[in-house]
Amino acid sequence: MTAAIETVALEKHYGRHFAVRGIDLRVEQGSIFGLIGPNGAGKTTVLRMLLDIIRPTGGELRVLGRAPREAGAALRRRIGYLPGELKLDDRVNGRALLERLTALSGPVAPGSIDLLAERLDIDLSRPVHTLSKGNRQKLGLVQALMHRPELLVLDEPTSGLDPLVQREFITLVREARNAGQTVLLSSHVLSEIQHTADEVAVLATGTIVTRGDVASLRLTSVSRVRAVLSAGSAAEVRIALGRVPRLDELDVSAAPGNLVRLTCTLRGTVDPLVQALARFTVRDLTIEEPDLEESVLELYGRTTALT
C-alpha cells in the first residue's frame, strides 16, 4: 500500500531539549492510525510538523507524497486538521465561521456542513462566543471533516464532548476510513483509540516505544483470571500453579461443595496456565482480555524502569 504519511528519523529539538527524537512512522492510505502518549510525549509536536506549522530539526517527512515544507497551501487543502488547542473567531456565529473557512479548505459539497452539524448536535446559528468548550470542539470537527479531505489529522478530538457525541465521532471516523480517507488520531483517551484504530504507536519522551495493532498491544499486558475447580485441594492447586511463569497475585481458597476458587493475574500467553489447570476438573474459567489502557500503563511502567 501507499503511505499517506512517512517519516524517517524525524527530530525536533529546542536547544538541548528534544521534543521528538528519531521517529520512524508509516501510515497507510485508507487506515486509522492512533498515536498514544501522555502530555509531553511528543504527539502534538509530530502533528504540527506534518502540517508544516513547525519545521523539523532533522530527518525526512512526506505527507500524501509531498514534503510539507515545499507543498504549501495546496497540500494543506487536502488535509483536515483539528488542533489540540482550538482557537475560533468569537465575533461571528458558527455558520458564518464555517463558510469563511470553506475558502481555505478544499471544495465543500452542498449540505455537508448542515449534515455534520446535525450529526454532532450543534446549533450553527449561535454566536461562537456563547458556545461551551464541547460545542466549540464540535465546530472544530465540522471544519476538519466538511471538505472530505484525503487525510484527517485530529489532535485530542473528543476533548469536552459528551459520551453520545463521542460515539457519533467514532462512527464518523470509521465512515471516513471506509470512504478511503486516512485518519491520524492523537489522544490520551485510550478507549477511542481502542475502538477505532487499525494500528497504534505508543510515544514516551519523544520516541516510539512500541507499535502494532490493538490486539497485539493487548498481549503485552495482564489477563485477569478467575476459576472454580473440583477434584483438588487448595494446596494442590497452589502447588500446580506455582510452576506457571509470569503469574502473579494468586489467591486460592476452599469453597463450599468441595470446590476451590482462584483468582490471579497472568502476564503473557495463557497456554501454561491452561495446561496446569487441566489436571483438575474445571467448573468455571474466566479470562478477561486486558484493555488497551492496562497494556499502555504496563508498557510505560516497564519503560520507566529501564530509564
Side-chain angles (χ1 to χ4, degrees):
M1 296 179 65
T2 304
I5 297 170
E6 190 166 19
T7 74
V8 179
L10 188 65
E11 290 188 349
K12 180 64 179 180
H13 62 78
Y14 302 92
R16 295 183 178 181
H17 171 69
F18 275 81
V20 171
R21 50 177 87 223
I23 285 184
D24 296 329
L25 191 64
R26 182 181 174 91
V27 179
E28 304 294 348
Q29 287 186 0
S31 69
I32 302 174
F33 195 99
L35 283 179
I36 300 173
N39 292 335
K43 306 187 304 298
T44 295
T45 301
V46 171
L47 301 191
R48 288 176 175 173
M49 286 191 283
L50 297 179
L51 275 294
D52 199 39
I53 297 172
I54 59 177
R55 298 277 170 84
T57 306
E60 300 177 15
L61 170 62
R62 298 190 75 80
V63 177
L64 299 176
R66 304 289 304 277
R69 185 172 184 174
E70 301 169 358
L75 176 60
R76 287 193 291 274
R77 281 192 288 271
R78 300 166 63 192
I79 301 171
Y81 176 51
L82 177 66
E85 297 180 1
L86 182 62
K87 297 180 180 179
L88 300 174
D89 186 350
D90 284 349
R91 297 169 295 178
V92 296
N93 65 24
R95 183 175 300 281
L97 175 64
L98 292 172
E99 289 176 351
R100 184 182 301 171
L101 292 174
T102 60
L104 303 176
S105 70
V108 177
S112 291
I113 291 176
D114 288 319
L115 178 59
L116 287 167
E118 180 180 355
R119 293 184 64 174
L120 293 172
D121 190 25
I122 181 171
D123 181 358
L124 297 181
S125 67
R126 291 183 57 187
V128 173
H129 71 85
T130 68
L131 298 180
S132 65
K133 174 179 171 57
N135 281 322
R136 286 170 176 258
Q137 193 74 357
K138 293 175 187 179
L139 270 182
L141 285 170
V142 173
Q143 66 82 27
L145 293 161
M146 64 185 182
H147 58 297
R148 298 180 184 175
E150 296 173 55
L151 173 64
L152 281 162
V153 178
L154 308 175
D155 193 359
E156 304 290 351
T158 61
S159 176
L161 300 183
D162 65 61
L164 288 177
V165 178
Q166 289 180 25
R167 187 179 305 172
E168 186 63 26
F169 163 76
I170 289 173
T171 300
L172 286 166
V173 167
R174 289 173 175 165
E175 290 175 359
R177 175 190 57 193
N178 293 341
Q181 297 167 261
T182 306
V183 183
L184 178 59
L185 180 63
S186 170
S187 181
H188 68 271
V189 181
L190 301 181
S191 60
E192 69 189 21
I193 298 288
Q194 183 166 333
H195 293 123
T196 56
D198 301 304
E199 193 172 3
V200 177
V202 181
L203 272 68
T205 61
T207 63
I208 294 178
V209 294
T210 192
R211 63 178 294 167
D213 58 33
V214 171
S216 68
L217 289 183
R218 284 176 183 160
L219 293 178
T220 69
S221 189
V222 298
S223 297
R224 311 297 184 186
V225 181
R226 297 192 303 272
V228 179
L229 313 174
S230 61
S233 67
E236 289 174 320
V237 172
R238 192 174 289 108
I239 291 171
L241 296 186
R243 304 186 183 95
V244 177
R246 306 191 70 192
L247 187 147
D248 296 312
E249 302 172 15
L250 176 62
D251 182 31
V252 182
S253 60
N258 296 318
L259 299 176
V260 175
R261 297 184 185 275
L262 73 89
T263 62
C264 63
T265 59
L266 179 67
R267 291 169 169 80
T269 62
V270 300
D271 187 59
L273 174 65
V274 172
Q275 291 184 28
L277 293 177
R279 60 182 292 184
F280 307 102
T281 300
V282 180
R283 296 294 183 88
D284 185 50
L285 176 62
T286 302
I287 301 175
E288 295 180 353
E289 184 182 57
D291 63 19
L292 188 59
E293 183 167 7
E294 287 180 301
S295 300
V296 171
L297 289 175
E298 175 152 320
L299 177 62
Y300 274 124
R302 293 203 307 270
T303 302
T304 302
L306 293 174
T307 58

